[in-house]
Amino acid sequence: MAEILPPVTDGKTKAALDALAKRHRAASGVGMQVLTYLGGTAEGLLAKLPAPIRGGLEGATAQALETAFHAASRSRGLVEDRPDWVNTTLTTAMGAAGGFGGLPGALAELPFTVTMLLRAIQGIAAEHGFDPASEEVRVECLRVFASAGPLARDDGSDMGFMTARMTITGASLNSLIARVAPKLSAVLGQKLAAQAAPVLGAVAGAAVNYSFTSYYQEIAHVHFGLKALARDLEQDEGLLREELIARITRKT
């Protein structure tokens, strides 16, 4: 029988969880605005991709993740961590360039964007007091990609998936990527389709990259903010996670 943990009663902890829940709920806001601008649904965008692209997307995503995992870590010794707005500006420009080239341009831009996103997530981990050079934290950074994505309504269940069910150590990197890739490939498929939309081109590419970068940075702040809260207040992370999910799903 699963252990029944007591509810959080400390006022300071409650306030911190409320702030994290608010940040999590707001994360998809920009992405959903972009989706409305494009005039479709997340599922509809994915269906617009050519069948060969859809079929190879999971493998391409896994390869991009593996490349990004190593490239992002190496870059930390060369380039300092940047504020969130700088990362968003850079990836927005990359999205515009990729969108200008249509689907081929978007495909070429994809691994660079994934690397920049992972690098930004590593910087956020450091901001919360974790060492991105450690294998454990590098794996935690990958887990952030297991969330729903900016073009979907996340009810908080994905937070449970990326922290509770994915009990994988750094030594099992390929296994972790294999679990994350199917989830992320569906999300990136929406991005590619949006960038390849007729007429919109570079504008759509810039918009989706802006929403993607904003979303994953916010989710990273929630992910590592929760871990830091558990560490600093010496409380059970699993209990805090359940409390946070309850706040995210609570009707307001």
Side-chain angles (χ1 to χ4, degrees):
M1 177 181 294
E3 179 184 2
I4 299 176
L5 298 171
V8 171
T9 57
D10 176 71
K12 182 178 179 181
T13 306
K14 283 184 174 181
L17 288 172
D18 287 340
L20 288 174
K22 182 178 179 180
R23 193 162 198 166
H24 189 282
R25 285 194 299 267
S28 294
V30 174
M32 297 308 294
Q33 292 172 18
V34 169
L35 192 60
T36 301
Y37 171 70
L38 294 174
T41 64
E43 295 77 11
L45 280 177
L46 199 56
K48 292 178 181 179
L49 285 177
I53 300 293
R54 291 199 306 270
L57 194 53
E58 185 175 325
T61 301
Q63 184 175 2
L65 279 175
E66 187 169 357
T67 300
F69 185 83
H70 298 292
S73 297
R74 287 196 300 269
S75 73
R76 290 189 55 80
L78 304 173
V79 181
E80 293 184 352
D81 293 331
R82 299 176 290 257
D84 289 357
W85 71 268
V86 174
N87 294 320
T88 304
T89 300
L90 291 173
T91 55
T92 299
M94 290 173 62
F100 184 79
L103 186 55
L107 282 168
E109 169 252 324
L110 186 63
F112 295 99
T113 295
V114 172
T115 299
M116 288 196 67
L117 288 175
L118 188 54
R119 178 66 171 77
I121 292 168
Q122 290 177 347
I124 289 169
E127 182 181 333
H128 286 278
F130 298 97
D131 180 12
S134 74
E135 203 71 13
E136 179 183 357
V137 175
R138 292 168 75 196
V139 167
E140 289 293 335
C141 291
L142 267 183
R143 285 176 173 163
V144 173
F145 280 127
S147 57
L151 303 185
R153 293 292 186 189
D154 184 1
D155 62 0
S157 60
D158 286 287
M159 170 165 283
F161 171 80
M162 69 182 177
T163 54
R165 285 167 51 189
M166 295 174 60
T167 53
I168 299 177
T169 65
S172 305
L173 172 62
N174 291 337
S175 179
L176 175 59
I177 288 178
R179 292 195 183 201
V180 173
K183 183 84 172 180
L184 184 59
S185 65
V187 174
L188 294 181
Q190 298 162 8
K191 167 179 149 58
L192 291 176
Q195 287 179 278
V199 182
L200 295 174
V203 175
V208 294
N209 264 30
Y210 178 86
S211 66
F212 267 64
T213 308
S214 300
Y215 175 83
Y216 282 112
Q217 287 184 145
E218 288 299 291
I219 293 299
H221 278 293
V222 174
H223 184 79
F224 287 104
L226 182 69
K227 294 183 73 65
L229 184 64
R231 176 199 63 203
D232 296 343
L233 300 182
E234 298 182 346
Q235 297 204 27
D236 181 85
E237 185 180 338
L239 170 61
L240 294 181
R241 185 187 310 120
E242 292 302 318
E243 291 279 348
L244 178 56
I245 293 173
R247 281 165 168 75
I248 293 169
T249 57
R250 182 181 301 159
K251 301 296 183 182
T252 56

